[in-house]
């Protein structure tokens, strides 16, 4: 099942979940860009590089947690459905 979830995540959901299609998502994206530009103007190149690496690390960590939550949610849903139907 993990291979199927991995394939679903990589080939479909990652693209779908990354789309910015709500007003709230647009607002937060705009805010993040504005804050990034403000911070960027305050830092020298060494500091910018350090902040970018920090942001990348946080982004990677968040991505892992989102993927983990997706997998756990799918596993829970299947378990719940099987139990509700009397298969467990």
């Amino acid at each position: 099942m993990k291979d199927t979830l991995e394939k679903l995540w990589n080939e479909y959901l990652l693209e779908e979940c990354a789309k910015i299609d709500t007003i709230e998502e647009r607002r937060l994206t705009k805010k993040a860009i504005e804050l990034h530009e403000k911070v960027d103007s305050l830092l020298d190149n060494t500091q910018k590089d350090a902040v970018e690496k920090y942001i990348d690390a946080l982004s990677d960590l968040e991505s892992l947690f989102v993927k983990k939550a997706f997998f756990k949610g799918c596993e829970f849903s299947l378990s719940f459905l099987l139990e509700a139907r009397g298969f467990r």
Side-chain angles (χ1 to χ4, degrees):
M1 180 164 103
K2 188 171 182 175
D3 291 338
T4 301
L5 291 176
E6 191 78 39
K7 185 175 181 178
L8 179 63
W9 178 261
N10 289 329
E11 293 182 9
Y12 176 73
L13 290 174
L14 187 59
E15 287 181 21
E16 289 299 313
C17 293
K19 288 182 182 175
I20 299 171
D21 53 8
T22 68
I23 292 170
E24 182 70 4
E25 291 167 345
R26 286 185 198 84
R27 184 187 69 76
L28 290 172
T29 300
K30 182 180 177 184
K31 182 178 179 181
I33 290 168
E34 290 169 355
L35 289 169
H36 183 270
E37 289 171 351
K38 183 176 181 179
V39 167
D40 205 45
S41 70
L42 299 171
L43 303 175
D44 64 36
N45 287 338
T46 302
Q47 294 167 327
K48 287 177 189 179
D49 187 49
V51 169
E52 288 298 325
K53 287 179 182 177
Y54 173 69
I55 291 170
D56 288 345
L58 287 178
S59 180
D60 290 345
L61 184 60
E62 181 184 18
S63 293
L64 283 174
F65 285 145
V66 168
K67 185 176 178 180
K68 182 178 178 181
F70 168 74
F71 278 46
K72 291 291 183 183
C74 289
E75 291 168 5
F76 170 78
S77 297
L78 179 59
S79 175
F80 179 79
L81 290 172
L82 289 173
E83 187 174 326
R85 299 290 291 171
F87 292 111
R88 282 183 133 194

